[in-house]
Amino acid sequence: EHREKVASYMDSARTQGAKVVVDGRDHPLYGTEGFFFGPSLIDEVTPAMDCYRDEIFGPVLVVERASGLDDAITKANDTLYALTQGIYSRSPEHIERARAAARAGNFYVNRPITGAIPGRHPFGGFGHSGVGFKAGGPTYLYQFADQQVVSENLLRQGFSPDIS
C-alpha cells in the first residue's frame, strides 16, 4: 500500500507540471518480489505541488531551485513538516545563518540529512513531523511515563466556613 502511495507522487508531480527525471517504477526490480520502489528524482517543482508539500517516506528526491541562501532558508522553513534540514557549505557565515534560522528537529552540516546514528543523533522534528521528545535524546524515556499534576487549594484545607 505504501509503495503505491509513493508511486502516486510520480503521477501527481507530472500532472502538476513537475519534471519526473527518474521514476522508481522504471527500476528493474519494481514489480518483482517484495515492495521495492527505486530511487526517484522530481525536478522543477513549486511549493504548491503535493510532492513538495508532503513528507514522502520513500526514495524520492524533490528539487526546487533557490536564488540564494536567504531564498533557500525561506523555502526550507515554509513547510508544515520539519524533521530534518541540512546545508553543504565551506562558509562558516552561511552555516551559522542557516543553522540559526532552521526550523527542523535535526540540522546537519556537510553530511547527508538521512541516516541518524542511534546514540549519537537524537531524532525527531517539529510541526507535522512530530512534537515532544527526540528518540535517543536525554529525555526520551519520559514520554513513556504517566505524568500527573495535583493542584490543591490550601486555603480550604481543614475547616468549613461559618455561613450562619
Side-chain angles (χ1 to χ4, degrees), residues 5 42 61 89 92 108 144 155:
K5 180 178 180 181
I42 304 172
L61 175 64
S89 177
Y108 297 109
F144 300 108
L155 294 176

Side-chain angles (χ1 to χ4, degrees), residues 1-161:
E1 183 179 307
H2 187 74
R3 179 181 69 175
E4 296 312 311
K5 180 178 180 181
V6 174
S8 74
Y9 283 101
M10 302 302 113
D11 299 326
S12 173
R14 282 186 179 98
T15 301
Q16 295 174 346
K19 180 179 179 183
V20 177
V21 179
V22 179
D23 188 327
R25 295 174 290 193
D26 296 335
H27 193 282
L29 292 179
Y30 182 81
T32 61
E33 278 188 50
F35 301 99
F36 182 83
F37 191 89
S40 302
L41 173 64
I42 304 172
D43 196 6
E44 300 176 16
V45 301
T46 66
M49 295 179 182
D50 296 336
C51 63
Y52 181 91
R53 302 303 299 178
D54 294 350
E55 200 169 41
I56 305 172
F57 285 99
V60 180
L61 175 64
V62 177
V63 178
E64 182 193 16
R65 308 215 188 297
S67 62
L69 181 61
D70 291 331
D71 186 36
I73 290 169
T74 298
K75 288 176 178 183
N77 286 334
D78 183 26
T79 176
L80 297 175
Y81 298 95
L83 188 58
T84 60
Q85 285 184 19
I87 185 173
Y88 281 88
S89 177
R90 290 186 287 168
S91 166
E93 178 195 349
H94 287 182
I95 292 168
E96 179 53 27
R97 279 176 46 207
R99 186 210 56 80
R103 192 185 75 76
N106 293 70
F107 187 79
Y108 297 109
V109 177
N110 294 330
R111 61 148 289 176
I113 64 168
T114 59
I117 300 169
R120 188 174 295 169
H121 302 136
F123 193 73
F126 307 142
H128 288 262
S129 294
V131 296
F133 301 98
K134 292 170 83 58
T139 57
Y140 179 65
L141 292 178
Y142 290 130
Q143 71 181 324
F144 300 108
D146 291 325
Q147 299 181 40
Q148 182 182 47
V149 173
V150 175
S151 299
E152 179 180 350
N153 181 349
L154 296 177
L155 294 176
R156 295 292 306 253
Q157 188 176 28
F159 71 92
S160 295

